[in-house]
Amino acid sequence: MLSILKTIDHWVSRITRLICVVALGAIVVMFLANVFVRFVPIYNFTQTDDWIQICLIWMIFLGAQELVRTRNHFVVEVMTERLEGTTGKICRVVVCAIELFTYALICYYGWVWVMRAHAYMQSIPWMQVKVAYAAIPISAFFMSCYALRDFILAIQGRYDDFESI
């Protein structure tokens, strides 16, 4: 069972990184094309602002998801690394519980927000805003899964045994 979860984690990480790289590449291309057509007016890119916004949203939230997966995100470690024994373990469990609660809350309210959104993108009239902001609950779901992993490891006292792929 653990090997299946590690395989899923591996592929989620690969896909996340691929989407982030493609989104960053698309942003660079669209910015360069926008700058070029300002000086050489051969075509009017009216939709690039919305596409850049969509790529930025997905890249930022999926990037944050990957940072949580690899534990490279901002966490409170000043107290947990200095305290030893039971006090350090309790502090680590509390920090992980707060982190898990926060991600679960973002996931829930992100889902509610996306489901209630009925607006369309300004320059892309066929695309709903839901497409752009679906990155919030999707990435928060995976962040919640990784926070749950860290919470369980903290309870078991094996938080430092974590191996990143």
Side-chain angles (χ1 to χ4, degrees):
M1 180 67 169
L2 189 59
S3 65
I4 293 171
L5 289 176
K6 284 186 177 186
T7 303
I8 291 170
D9 177 50
H10 173 76
W11 284 105
V12 166
S13 174
R14 290 274 177 139
I15 292 168
T16 299
R17 290 176 185 209
L18 177 69
I19 292 171
C20 287
V21 167
V22 168
L24 181 62
I27 290 168
V28 168
V29 168
M30 286 184 276
F31 268 126
L32 290 175
N34 249 347
V35 170
F36 179 74
V37 297
R38 286 188 183 152
F39 295 107
V40 183
I42 54 175
Y43 185 75
N44 187 7
F45 292 111
T46 57
Q47 298 179 350
T48 54
D49 289 342
D50 282 343
W51 284 110
I52 288 171
Q53 181 183 11
I54 291 168
C55 289
L56 274 171
I57 292 167
W58 278 91
M59 185 181 69
I60 289 168
F61 281 97
L62 291 178
Q65 169 192 321
E66 187 64 16
L67 289 174
V68 170
R69 185 188 79 79
T70 59
R71 289 191 186 159
N72 288 319
H73 63 301
F74 177 76
V75 292
V76 180
E77 290 185 338
V78 174
M79 294 295 291
T80 57
E81 288 187 2
R82 290 188 181 175
L83 297 173
E84 295 180 7
T86 307
T87 309
K89 181 181 176 183
I90 291 170
C91 190
R92 171 66 69 194
V93 169
V94 169
V95 168
C96 288
I98 292 169
E99 186 180 354
L100 174 60
F101 178 74
T102 303
Y103 297 143
L105 206 62
I106 292 169
C107 182
Y108 173 75
Y109 283 108
W111 179 258
V112 169
W113 185 41
V114 167
M115 289 295 104
R116 289 184 181 172
H118 297 293
Y120 287 85
M121 300 300 286
Q122 197 165 8
S123 63
I124 310 171
W126 52 269
M127 184 179 292
Q128 285 190 324
V129 175
K130 291 179 183 188
V131 174
Y133 291 105
I136 297 169
I138 291 171
S139 62
F141 169 76
F142 286 106
M143 285 190 244
S144 299
C145 293
Y146 296 130
L148 181 61
R149 170 203 64 195
D150 292 343
F151 181 70
I152 292 170
L153 288 174
I155 288 174
Q156 294 174 346
R158 299 184 314 124
Y159 184 82
D160 296 326
D161 296 345
F162 170 75
E163 292 180 25
S164 178
I165 295 176

